[in-house]
Amino acid sequence: MAESTTNLEIFGIRSAQILNVVVLDDSLSVIEDLKAQLGTIAGIKAVAFLDPEAALAHAATHKIDLFLIDYNMPKLTGTQVIKRLRAMPAYRYVPIIMITSEAERAIRLEALEAETTDFLRKPLDVDELKSRVGNLLNLRRVQLDLANRADDLAEAVEAATEELSSREAEMIMRLAKAIEYRDCDTGQHVSRVA
């Protein structure tokens, strides 16, 4: 992963923070396998849930950078979870991978309409998992860096606007003083107008 970070630094990306990943599956063995595989990727912290409601509650109180969500679960389907996540402003653009053994086209379309970012088929191919997760985490780092840059630019614009307003007021007062010194009769009036 250090190589990816180096490549990102070439483009001015500075997000080197730990990214949080949520794994949601109703199978404990799949969760354990996914957590083991994700544990080999540097720069991430993975948390797993068997219950969709618990995962949604966690997402409501923590910043998550990537979700891996199974389609078939008790209580809610994966697409229902994704729709709820997308309804939260914080997760409008966060990458979500749907993991499924389902081959039905209707399920894939349903997931795409719910704004799934990517798919992984069960049984999982470890190399494909690592590549897709790595790519989406790099995308997330770029999103976070752009958001940070936008905040920095907004602050810079606000500071520059305040400085311009201050200089403008100073310039008006100086012109008023110059007129006042030139013409004492109308000088006081110009100062008041200024």
Side-chain angles (χ1 to χ4, degrees):
M1 195 65 167
E3 186 175 310
S4 296
T5 302
T6 304
N7 290 339
L8 289 174
E9 287 171 357
I10 291 171
F11 299 106
I13 307 304
R14 60 179 186 250
S15 301
Q17 64 193 21
I18 299 293
L19 298 180
N20 297 302
V21 177
V22 164
V23 176
L24 175 57
D25 200 298
D26 63 335
S27 168
L28 188 57
S29 62
V30 171
I31 282 179
E32 293 301 323
D33 184 43
L34 280 170
K35 281 185 69 175
Q37 297 305 325
L38 294 172
T40 64
I41 301 173
I44 68 170
K45 177 184 168 192
V47 180
F49 295 92
L50 291 165
D51 178 26
E53 296 289 347
L56 287 166
H58 179 78
T61 59
H62 295 79
K63 183 185 83 63
I64 309 302
D65 299 297
L66 174 69
F67 292 90
L68 289 104
I69 300 174
D70 185 25
Y71 177 77
N72 288 317
M73 291 179 291
K75 298 181 186 176
L76 298 170
T77 65
T79 52
Q80 289 171 324
V81 172
I82 292 168
K83 286 178 183 177
R84 284 196 181 173
L85 287 170
R86 293 297 190 212
M88 297 179 197
Y91 298 116
R92 188 75 194 103
Y93 301 108
V94 171
I96 299 174
I97 299 175
M98 175 159 287
I99 301 170
T100 184
S101 56
E102 299 291 331
E104 291 181 39
R105 182 175 184 268
I107 291 174
R108 287 194 317 271
L109 289 175
E110 178 186 341
L112 287 170
E113 287 172 5
E115 300 182 31
T116 298
T117 310
D118 205 350
F119 290 93
L120 279 171
R121 298 227 353 130
K122 288 180 182 177
L124 295 172
D125 177 305
V126 174
D127 294 328
E128 184 180 8
L129 169 73
K130 289 180 179 179
S131 292
R132 289 180 188 261
V133 167
N135 288 340
L136 289 174
L137 288 175
N138 284 340
L139 174 66
R140 183 64 179 154
R141 283 186 178 96
V142 170
Q143 287 176 332
L144 293 171
D145 191 64
L146 287 174
N148 289 339
R149 287 183 184 199
D151 291 343
D152 292 347
L153 286 173
E155 289 175 15
V157 166
E158 187 177 327
T161 302
E162 285 179 24
E163 184 179 338
L164 283 173
S165 294
S166 173
R167 286 185 181 185
E168 185 178 83
E170 181 183 342
M171 189 175 7
I172 289 171
M173 290 308 297
R174 286 182 186 225
L175 285 171
K177 289 283 186 198
I179 292 170
E180 182 180 320
Y181 287 126
R182 184 161 185 204
D183 183 2
C184 292
D185 295 333
T186 59
Q188 294 296 330
H189 173 71
V190 172
S191 292
R192 287 189 301 275
V193 171

